Amino acid sequence: MKPEVAPRPPEPGVVRFYDFLPPKETFLDDVLAGLSLPRKSIPPKYFYDEQGCRLFEAICELPEYYLTRTEMGILNDCAAEIAQFVGPDAQLIEFGSGAQAKTRVLIEAIQPPLYVPVDIAGETLRSSSEDLARLFPWLNVIGICADYSRPLVLPEFAGVPIRRKVVFFPGSTVGNLTPAEAVAFLKHARNTAGSGGALIIGVDLKKDKGLFDAAYDDAKGVTAQFNLNLLHRINRELKGDFQVNRFRHKAFYDPTLGRVEMHLESLYSQFAHVAGRRFDFAPGETIHTEISCKYSIAEFQELGKRAGFSPEMIWTDSRQLFGVHGMVAT
Ligand code: AVJ
């Protein structure tokens, strides 16, 4: 996707938007294709409708879900070092901007003249960008509503002096990809950053199974709601008739694969329709909805190298739960 003009940024503090959102048919196609597989699956990016974004924010507040809190602590504690790594006059590009607590810390530390959040969730992107523009009146904010998992050529913005581009990809969202997909994604991030550009990426570290199982199957059942919301969303947007209470949330860490898996498990023999097509479920059969891969520091640095990055910095917490990598595009 290539916008035809190189637009000037808006006045500082004013938010401008570009919408490259894939049409609704893409959601339908992906759901129909995924439910037709011998092992049914639906890509996790479809969790994030408005309700899904709200539920994910609630997950981030849960005592069991240590990821957000820990990464936030690392960014706070290491803000000065991160700013030094980035240097002045950076264009900050964020993939999956969501809620912006982490972004605030980073913007305050590195003071970039231009901030370009890219997110598939349009409403959330709009409101969080407006909040940021209000909070930092000197900041140019240009929101890009797009699916950043597909190669996307960002517009160049004339009029703002930029020394380097920095891609920020927090939250261990890269874990949603298999290691091979992660390398392809990192190559795409590398192209977005350009030679000499940088990547700051948050990655959940390998650890005891117990912590993972709790983090992805919390006592209050918020993660269960988040997972099941996908069926509600299909019902709402794709003329589905899933009986959502006849499915249950299932999540576990597989130490061999080094990843958490989330599934929606059919409790009974049943069927459901999506856009007029019928899908059958055996009792115990699942729809695989998410993987969340976990990496040691060295493992993730290796992926970075394969994608054309030189791993230079690693910031972590005292319990070694989570890592934030600083890499430079070679
Ligand atoms: C946003 C993809 C990083 O995998 O931990 C949270 C999503 N899924 N609880 C993760 C999620 C279940 C989250 N990511």
Side-chain angles (χ1 to χ4, degrees):
M1 250 171 303
K2 198 175 251 162
E4 56 305 340
V5 284
R8 295 187 65 78
E11 293 298 300
V14 176
V15 182
R16 177 177 286 174
F17 282 93
Y18 294 88
D19 198 337
F20 305 121
L21 199 61
K24 192 159 156 183
E25 294 80 69
T26 314
F27 179 30
L28 177 62
D29 293 346
D30 286 353
V31 168
L32 293 178
L35 293 181
S36 305
L37 295 170
R39 302 178 63 180
K40 297 180 172 69
S41 69
I42 297 174
K45 64 185 172 195
Y46 295 117
F47 283 136
Y48 302 94
D49 66 346
E50 260 188 271
Q51 176 67 1
C53 288
R54 266 198 295 278
L55 285 166
F56 181 65
E57 281 173 38
I59 288 175
C60 293
E61 307 281 317
L62 293 169
E64 297 97 331
Y65 196 75
Y66 60 86
L67 286 81
T68 315
R69 197 172 311 118
T70 307
E71 185 179 38
M72 186 69 184
I74 296 169
L75 294 175
N76 264 317
D77 293 349
C78 308
E81 249 181 71
I82 294 172
Q84 202 178 12
F85 167 72
V86 168
D89 297 329
Q91 171 178 341
L92 183 64
I93 298 161
E94 181 169 8
F95 286 158
S97 65
Q100 12 86 14
K102 297 167 198 167
T103 315
R104 288 184 188 193
V105 177
L106 213 65
I107 289 177
E108 214 152 73
I110 71 184
Q111 308 257 318
L114 177 57
Y115 170 58
V116 182
V118 184
D119 204 304
I120 194 167
E123 284 311 308
T124 307
L125 174 70
R126 194 171 284 269
S127 64
S128 61
S129 299
E130 278 162 3
D131 290 348
L132 276 178
R134 226 171 288 125
L135 197 64
F136 303 107
W138 45 266
L139 182 68
N140 292 289
V141 182
I142 299 176
I144 311 276
C145 185
D147 176 359
Y148 59 77
S149 68
R150 292 160 191 251
L152 166 78
V153 181
L154 292 178
E156 294 290 334
F157 299 102
V160 181
I162 293 301
R163 275 206 231 177
R164 87 187 316 188
K165 292 180 185 171
V166 179
V167 173
F168 181 43
F169 194 42
S172 202
T173 305
V174 72
N176 274 173
L177 306 171
T178 64
E181 289 167 345
V183 171
F185 172 80
L186 290 170
K187 285 181 181 163
H188 153 51
R190 195 232 154 271
N191 290 341
T192 302
S195 239
L199 171 69
I200 297 171
I201 185 165
V203 184
D204 198 14
L205 290 166
K206 283 216 165 110
K207 62 183 73 69
D208 266 8
K209 179 172 165 62
L211 271 182
F212 289 131
D213 289 343
Y216 289 85
D217 195 4
D218 62 280
K220 272 198 243 155
V222 182
T223 310
Q225 278 187 60
F226 173 72
N227 197 5
L228 289 160
N229 176 56
L230 193 52
L231 298 181
H232 286 298
R233 183 179 184 188
I234 291 170
N235 287 349
R236 282 192 294 265
E237 295 184 25
L238 305 179
K239 299 196 175 72
D241 63 0
F242 279 99
Q243 291 186 269
V244 179
N245 57 5
R246 295 168 69 86
F247 288 82
R248 77 165 187 110
H249 165 68
K250 186 174 165 187
F252 56 88
Y253 180 64
D254 179 338
T256 314
L257 292 172
R259 70 190 201 187
V260 174
E261 291 190 7
M262 291 213 313
H263 296 256
L264 290 162
E265 184 182 54
S266 174
L267 294 170
Y268 312 99
S269 170
Q270 60 180 322
F271 57 83
H273 299 90
V274 180
R277 275 183 54 187
R278 173 179 160 153
F279 297 96
D280 291 286
F281 295 87
E285 183 179 357
T286 73
I287 306 171
H288 190 178
T289 51
E290 186 175 54
I291 59 171
S292 205
C293 295
K294 310 300 177 183
Y295 297 98
S296 71
I297 290 169
E299 280 170 345
F300 196 80
Q301 287 180 332
E302 188 49 42
L303 295 191
K305 285 185 204 161
R306 278 162 54 192
F309 282 106
S310 156
E312 306 223 323
M313 302 297 289
I314 174 74
W315 297 283
T316 184
D317 56 292
S318 58
R319 297 168 65 200
Q320 300 270 304
L321 294 176
F322 198 94
V324 177
H325 292 256
M327 300 188 177
V328 175
T330 52

